[in-house]
């Protein structure tokens, strides 16, 4: 899973799966567990004031006596729900930067109108969470039954306060990740037939077709998923992340690193950063990771063929799973592949 931008061992073990450019998206099976409970899509009570339930990707069914109003969610998931018209009361995860501006993972959220109960990995105020009288807690899942950005040391107290929903962000293709967030939004009252939603889905499908065509028209471009820290450079395995797995299905060729025991990425010293030749580098652009402009002191970085050719593209390693957010990402990647040159 991507390291959560902490300068701790968890960064080594989580964040670096990395390398998802603000480019990811799509449709195929990012779920796990029984999605049939309640209805064909695993939901019940959509758009009603009666009992609500939703079966998540752990196969667990969250239930409330009425449609949830006090929703608390991981920032990226909250941003996806917002794109479907669903408002949350509280968020946890990267929400605002040090200068008070919205984090890249906040999407269209008005961060001044939500209670931020944790802004960095390991930070989650149980007191603020309880004060919101939460109806449901929603987050991502990169490993089975591990709730993203819910700290282990307070997890039991947190999960006692409200039902929880966890949706896959790994090991399946992006279309399913998108569909599951849409299913969840529908269960919470969203209108998936609204023109804004159908137009976004059409744009996603158009962008996906463009990327498939681009990989056929410019074959052989080798892409590396990278994430930088002061001491290490992480090269990620594309098939683990929903977005890059989908890009692979559309024909993008990725570097395959020798991953560690968690299976998400390989950690390289800066002396060995050139281990994998690549024509194009997609760089993790999350707050807390080093960006190309920060790497002037790394001479080995400057010698990479993709760097010399200025074929470096920012990547949102944790995409916001709504059609409105992912369509531009795929379109941008398609344009990049169309114009990329073989330099490795």
């Amino acid at each position: 899973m991507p390291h959560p931008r902490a300068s701790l061992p968890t960064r080594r073990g989580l964040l670096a799966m990395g390398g998802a450019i603000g480019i990811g998206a799509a449709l195929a099976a990012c779920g796990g567990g029984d999605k049939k409970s309640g209805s064909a899509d695993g939901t019940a009570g959509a758009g009603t004031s009666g009992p609500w339930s939703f079966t998540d990707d752990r196969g667990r069914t969250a239930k409330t006596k009425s449609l949830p109003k006090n929703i608390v969610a991981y920032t990226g998931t909250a941003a996806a729900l917002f794109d479907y018209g669903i408002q949350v009361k509280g968020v946890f995860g990267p929400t605002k930067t040090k200068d008070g501006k919205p984090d890249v993972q906040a999407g269209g959220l008005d961060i001044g109108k939500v209670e931020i109960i944790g802004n960095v990995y390991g930070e989650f105020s149980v007191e603020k969470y309880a004060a919101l009288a939460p109806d449901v807690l929603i987050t991502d899942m990169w490993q089975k039954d591990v709730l993203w950005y819910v700290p282990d040391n307070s997890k039991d107290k947190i999960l006692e306060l409200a039902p929880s929903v966890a949706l896959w962000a790994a090991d399946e293709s992006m279309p399913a990740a998108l569909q599951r967030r849409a299913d969840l939004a529908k269960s919470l009252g969203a209108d998936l037939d609204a023109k804004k939603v159908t137009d976004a889905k059409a744009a996603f499908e158009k962008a996906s077709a463009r990327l498939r065509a681009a990989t056929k028209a410019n074959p052989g471009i080798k892409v590396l998923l990278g994430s930088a820290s002061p001491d290490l450079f992480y090269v990620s395995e594309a098939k683990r992340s929903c977005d890059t797995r989908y890009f692979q299905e559309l024909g993008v060729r990725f570097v395959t690193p020798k991953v560690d025991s968690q299976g998400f990425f390989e950690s390289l010293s800066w002396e060995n950063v050139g281990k994998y030749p690549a024509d194009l580098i997609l760089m993790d652009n999350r707050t807390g990771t080093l960006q190309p402009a920060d790497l002037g002191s790394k001479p080995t970085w400057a010698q990479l063929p993709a760097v010399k050719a200025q074929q470096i593209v920012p990547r949102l390693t944790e995409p916001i799973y709504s059609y409105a957010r992912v369509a531009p990402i795929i379109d941008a990647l398609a344009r990049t592949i169309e114009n990329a040159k073989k330099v490795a």
Side-chain angles (χ1 to χ4, degrees):
M1 57 175 67
H3 54 77
R5 314 183 215 183
S7 55
L8 302 170
T10 50
R11 175 187 180 98
R12 306 278 193 263
L14 299 176
L15 175 131
M17 159 200 165
I21 111 181
I23 292 180
L27 279 159
C30 208
D34 178 11
K35 298 173 188 157
K36 296 181 180 179
S37 176
S39 73
D41 60 7
T43 66
T48 73
S49 58
W52 171 88
S53 68
F54 184 87
T55 302
D56 72 3
D57 290 347
R58 297 170 296 177
R60 301 180 187 180
T61 301
K63 298 179 180 180
T64 57
K65 293 181 179 180
S66 60
L67 195 67
K69 298 298 183 184
N70 294 344
I71 301 169
V72 177
Y74 174 64
T75 302
T77 309
L81 292 174
F82 179 84
D83 288 342
Y84 290 107
I86 303 301
Q87 302 281 348
V88 305
K89 289 291 183 66
V91 295
F92 56 96
T95 306
K96 65 179 180 180
T97 59
K98 292 180 180 179
D99 59 5
K101 295 181 180 179
D103 189 276
V104 65
Q105 289 181 243
L109 288 175
D110 184 340
I111 64 172
K113 293 184 178 180
V114 293
E115 180 73 41
I116 301 174
I117 61 178
N119 196 57
V120 298
Y121 191 75
E123 179 182 276
F124 191 115
S125 172
V126 179
E127 292 76 17
K128 287 183 178 181
Y129 179 58
L132 290 174
D135 293 320
V136 64
L137 175 84
I138 304 170
T139 190
D140 288 346
M141 183 169 62
W142 289 86
Q143 293 177 311
K144 184 67 173 177
D145 297 332
V146 178
L147 304 186
W148 193 228
Y149 271 72
V150 176
D152 284 340
N153 60 3
S154 55
K155 179 180 65 175
D156 292 342
K157 291 181 180 179
I158 293 167
L159 296 182
E160 285 177 355
L161 296 173
S164 62
V165 170
L167 298 178
W168 277 114
D171 293 335
E172 300 286 355
S173 186
M174 181 66 103
L178 287 165
Q179 186 60 55
R180 291 294 281 150
R181 274 70 178 178
D183 290 344
L184 176 60
K186 180 180 179 181
S187 81
L188 294 169
D191 179 8
L192 299 189
D193 293 322
K195 187 175 186 302
K196 178 181 178 181
V197 176
T198 57
D199 284 353
K201 188 170 184 179
F204 158 73
E205 292 168 348
K206 182 179 179 180
S208 297
R210 180 181 179 183
L211 179 55
R212 188 184 297 278
T215 61
K216 290 181 178 179
N218 192 10
I221 297 297
K222 205 65 178 287
V223 182
L224 182 146
L225 300 175
S227 185
S229 74
D231 300 322
L232 295 170
F233 184 75
Y234 304 97
V235 181
S236 294
E237 170 58 72
K239 69 181 180 181
R240 298 304 304 274
S241 224
C242 294
D243 62 331
T244 48
R245 186 185 186 110
Y246 184 58
F247 301 159
Q248 274 189 320
E249 293 169 2
L250 295 176
V252 178
R253 295 183 58 197
F254 289 101
V255 163
T256 302
K258 293 181 179 179
V259 296
D260 64 13
S261 59
Q262 288 191 333
F264 284 96
F265 58 88
E266 178 179 0
S267 304
L268 299 176
S269 67
W270 282 102
E271 289 76 15
N272 295 315
V273 72
K275 179 177 179 179
Y276 297 106
D279 304 297
L280 172 67
I281 299 175
L282 305 188
M283 282 289 287
D284 183 352
N285 75 340
R286 290 176 297 169
T287 305
T289 62
L290 297 182
Q291 299 306 305
D294 304 319
L295 300 177
S297 63
K298 308 291 186 184
T300 50
W301 168 259
Q303 296 305 310
L304 296 178
V307 175
K308 289 181 177 180
Q310 297 185 332
Q311 293 189 156
I312 311 295
V313 180
R315 176 197 179 217
L316 182 59
T317 303
E318 296 181 57
I320 294 169
Y321 296 126
S322 74
Y323 294 107
R325 295 289 165 183
V326 301
I329 288 173
I330 300 176
D331 200 58
L333 180 56
R335 182 169 59 251
T336 298
I337 295 293
E338 288 167 354
N339 297 321
K341 295 179 173 59
K342 295 179 185 179
V343 297

